[in-house]
Amino acid sequence: MTEFVPDKAFDALAAVIRENTPHADLARIREAFDFAAAAHEGQKRKDGSPYFTHAVAAATITAEMGLDDESVMAALLHDTIEDTDVTHEQLEQLFGPDVADIVEGVTKLTRVQYSTLEEAQMENLRKMLLAMAKDIRVILIKLADRLHNMRTMEYQSPEKQLSKSRETMEVYAPIAHRLGVERMKDELEDLSLLYLDPVGYREITSILDKRRETLEKFQKAMEERIESRMEREGIACKVYGRLKHIYSIYRKMYAQHLGVEEIFDLCAFRVIVNDLADCYNVLGIIHEMFRPVPGRFKDYISTPKPNNYQSLHTTVIGTEGIPFEVQIRTWQMHMTAEYGVAAHWKYKSGPAGHKEGDEEKFAWIRRLLETQQDAGDVQDLYHDLKMDLFDDEVFVFTPNGDVKSLPAGATPIDFAYSIHSAVGNSMTGAKVNGRIVPIAYPLQNGDIVTIITSHSSAGPSRDWLNIAKSGEARSKIKQWFKRERREENIVQGREMFEAEARRIGLVMADVTDPEMVPHILKRMAVQDLDDIYASIGYGGMTAAHAVGRIRDEIVRNRTTVRKTELEKMQERADRRQQKELRAVQGVLVEGLDNCLIKFSRCCTPVPGDPIVGFITRGLGVSIHRKDCVNYRRDTDNGRWITVSWADRITDSYAADIYITADERGGLVMDVATILNSLNAKVRSLNARDTGKGLSTVIITLEVSHSSELQTVINKLQTVRGVRDINRGGQ
Ligand code: MN
């Protein structure tokens, strides 16, 4: 290792700076240089050289990109906060807020701990890094830092080589690509490949080495041939031949299942011209000189790539049938291609050296992105950079290194519930980057969040609903309250149930009768009676609904359960007897056999109602309820005769119910809902407004006993606004 001589090192850096940013303030940069050198005094790199050489190298790469003075200074200082006693305040005082903020930004990125992440997580990680680097210069310096570390990776342990290379390949190279810093991307990829697949890497480099002489000769010849032809055409241009970068050849081999020998276009040429019109002129001439390969021409000038890359691409067949690619672009496009977003500073480093606010800077990026029409990943890129602009997401780590994406402003509560509701429900506190924080702490990009849980936790508090930012967390907290307040709900629900039971004359002892309970549970589709109470208490079911259905179930089961064999025999005997009495439609008419029977429409009698018959003229006997107004009006008329219901009824009968209720929307719906819940056989249902704010609903049901009707009437009485229910014939 050559000795580190500060003056010499600075001169070398200054030369690069002068070349790229002629108006740089070298004195100021020297101050940062000396300060950082002193701060890192005594620290050594793995190869034994002074640590500060790394900072100088990163600054040199930064200068090569043409970044501004602040960036170069920040690059020199980039490891001072992390590795020395230097503080942000100190840097701010000495070098201004910009430099201090950039160094702090780079430090934050450096502190991000990676583990082996799934591919799906990688995208989040890239977004996170971009989101963390509020200033695009932060990420460019981080890339410079990483590039130098990759260049000197040979001194690291094999494990570190592998993990850093994977991270570079999966995180930093794609970021460089998105920012359009192609030169850096290519180098990062090649260096990573060297450690990730040394065999594949050497396979390619050995072939390139073997052919190097031929290729270089070919390159040189081609450069001259193209340049001289362009000169004759009167076009000023510069032609650069180059070998394609190793990883691009590697990728092609794998994607197309080719051996290195089968990849011919190892060479590529760039023709760089002064203005746009010349690009197309050059293209025409190239196609005249060489035979173009069909389908390989791409116009990235009229349709730039998402990262703002512009060029004409074509592949042609050269001497001896070897294909090669030609890229044609202006100097300005070339700048953007090589330096991506960094080219922005190159353009801007004019004599005025004017400063822009972040707003304007990001507006520039936004414009750049918005003008891109190339579908593909433009959306992604836009989204990534949008992080800086709109901050609608925050990316944090689990202690295992998984990345979680949460809405901006998310708190440890949101994080806990995003892991699992059990974690959220038993959360008692949280640590961020190893320190206890309040549960309302707004998470920052890159935070490592640890949730402290306890089995004895009392569960979430109601305030959490106001603190949590994600819908997921809020709905899980609500769920908890619904479930956990069960005891309370049961107590309240049981009271409501008992009150309703009392109201309709249902005895609680019947409900809790061990023989009856299984039937009730089955009918209500629940595990135990508490479920019903809890549901009533929570408001999921009305007490009236539950009591009504349970009462029906009790009635139904009582009839079947208590039906003994003896009773069944009795029934059979009864039926025989009825037959002898010639019951007609379930009605026995005293002294008249087999007469015609009809049920009056005025009072619609059904079994269970006391009835009386009227001998019509020629139409048989019409049956009325004894409380029918028609009977009461002329009881003395000699045509009334005694009738009775047969003991055993199998038919069903039509019966009317008249409801008078306050006129309101939803009345009929409520009535229908109840009829449905009782499984009532409805023949017709008519409603009409009667004026004076009242409505009448007339229902015709099919029943086999008046008790069924009574059940329906009782139930309908609970409908809001109902004033009177009767069976007609009054
Ligand atoms: Mn570093």
Side-chain angles (χ1 to χ4, degrees), residues 51 54 78-79 145 149:
Y51 188 88
H54 162 67
H78 82 267
D79 277 328
D145 169 51
N149 283 334

Side-chain angles (χ1 to χ4, degrees), residues 152 192 415 530 647:
T152 52
S192 304
F415 178 85
D530 280 353
D647 286 338

Side-chain angles (χ1 to χ4, degrees), residues 213-282:
E213 215 177 308
T214 328
L215 287 168
E216 277 172 359
K217 223 180 264 172
F218 172 73
Q219 216 172 286
K220 193 115 186 82
M222 224 35 113
E223 279 171 12
E224 280 168 9
R225 201 171 148 192
I226 297 170
E227 266 178 13
S228 64
R229 171 70 188 264
M230 294 305 160
E231 209 181 302
R232 265 183 284 142
E233 301 282 348
I235 297 170
C237 74
K238 181 80 194 135
V239 181
Y240 296 99
R242 64 185 172 101
L243 289 180
K244 288 202 164 167
H245 85 286
I246 295 157
Y247 186 62
S248 74
I249 298 169
Y250 182 86
R251 247 196 344 239
K252 198 165 188 178
M253 280 168 59
Y254 280 84
Q256 303 180 7
H257 307 286
L258 300 171
V260 194
E261 305 75 20
E262 297 168 272
I263 294 182
F264 291 108
D265 52 343
L266 298 171
C267 253
F269 294 87
R270 283 183 188 138
V271 182
I272 304 175
V273 296
N274 290 332
D275 59 57
L276 189 105
D278 280 347
C279 291
Y280 292 94
N281 292 333
V282 168

